Amino acid sequence: MFTGIVTDIGEIVALTPTAQGQLHRMRIACSYDQTTIADGASIACNGVCLTVVASGVEGGKTWFDVDAAAETLGMTTAKHWIKGTRLNLERALKIGDELGGHIVAGHADGIATILKRDDLPDMARFELRTTRELARFIAAKGSVTLDGVSLTVNTVEDVTFSVLIIPHTLTVTTLSGWRAGSEVNIEVDLMARYAARLSEMK
């Protein structure tokens, strides 16, 4: 489990397609202490929970290897990742950690497309579109995770919604690089999903 609070920005330094393109082995450089990264650990990369298969230090920089399988490549932006891609990183939540965002599984539900970016004084407003299936779980003032970042929904209209990004978030995540036409990973709020399911069962 995660909270959607980014703790580092990593960079893909090597990417090797294997299994006829159905599996990508990625090496991600980061600032985490390598001694704290165990094989099998979960790290959310742009909102996608991936399992560490190896880690080490090279040139004074920590790296860890992960595999993105066919399903991940098929339904997330991981299919577009290349060497040099920067990723929002978050370590798995530990018992006793502060829950600063909201409960995030790290299981991206799909992709949202940025329709518009408005730059405001020290802030940015983004309008995005997602599928009708996912849009029903998005509500004004509710929570949504975009590229691994816990955000509050500003407005909603049919399958489009907007978020307002504060200066701190623009500084410590990759969101400052978002542009109209960009695709981002989206995970809807678990509570909204369960509420919808309970309503369906009545």
Side-chain angles (χ1 to χ4, degrees):
M1 301 297 290
F2 304 91
T3 68
I5 303 299
V6 172
T7 53
D8 194 17
I9 295 179
E11 181 179 343
I12 298 176
V13 293
L15 188 152
T16 307
T18 59
Q20 298 176 330
Q22 296 301 300
L23 184 74
H24 285 185
R25 169 67 58 88
M26 292 175 283
R27 177 159 294 184
I28 300 169
C30 67
S31 299
Y32 295 140
D33 180 354
Q34 188 272 331
T35 62
T36 68
I37 302 176
D39 288 357
S42 296
I43 298 180
C45 305
N46 267 16
V48 181
C49 178
L50 297 174
T51 301
V52 174
V53 296
S55 66
V57 176
E58 184 174 345
K61 191 81 171 178
T62 296
W63 58 264
F64 62 91
D65 288 349
V66 293
D67 290 328
E71 183 176 358
T72 298
L73 295 173
M75 66 179 298
T76 74
T77 62
K79 57 179 167 284
H80 302 310
W81 296 353
I82 59 174
K83 183 178 178 181
T85 297
R86 298 169 74 241
L87 303 170
N88 295 316
L89 303 180
E90 182 185 356
R91 305 287 299 273
L93 187 65
K94 296 185 180 71
I95 298 298
D97 283 353
E98 180 179 350
L99 188 63
H102 69 284
I103 297 173
V104 175
H107 302 153
D109 294 301
I111 291 173
T113 302
I114 298 172
L115 300 177
K116 184 181 179 183
R117 171 177 178 151
D118 292 319
D119 286 305
L120 310 171
D122 297 322
M123 294 188 292
R125 180 183 181 275
F126 294 94
E127 184 177 311
L128 304 96
R129 179 183 65 238
T130 190
T131 63
R132 186 164 299 278
E133 178 186 357
L134 294 179
R136 67 193 184 103
F137 299 115
I138 300 174
K141 310 307 178 187
S143 296
V144 68
T145 307
L146 299 175
D147 270 359
V149 182
S150 172
L151 298 169
T152 300
V153 177
N154 193 5
T155 62
V156 179
E157 185 175 346
D158 196 36
V159 297
T160 66
F161 64 98
S162 67
V163 291
L164 189 65
I165 313 300
I166 62 174
H168 175 76
T169 303
L170 288 173
T171 300
V172 300
T173 71
T174 64
L175 274 59
S176 60
W178 283 4
R179 298 291 182 268
S182 297
E183 292 184 336
V184 300
N185 294 319
I186 180 171
E187 180 183 328
V188 297
D189 185 22
L190 282 172
M191 298 302 103
R193 186 181 291 282
Y194 283 124
R197 180 60 176 159
L198 286 170
S199 177
E200 291 170 0
M201 294 297 288
K202 288 183 180 178

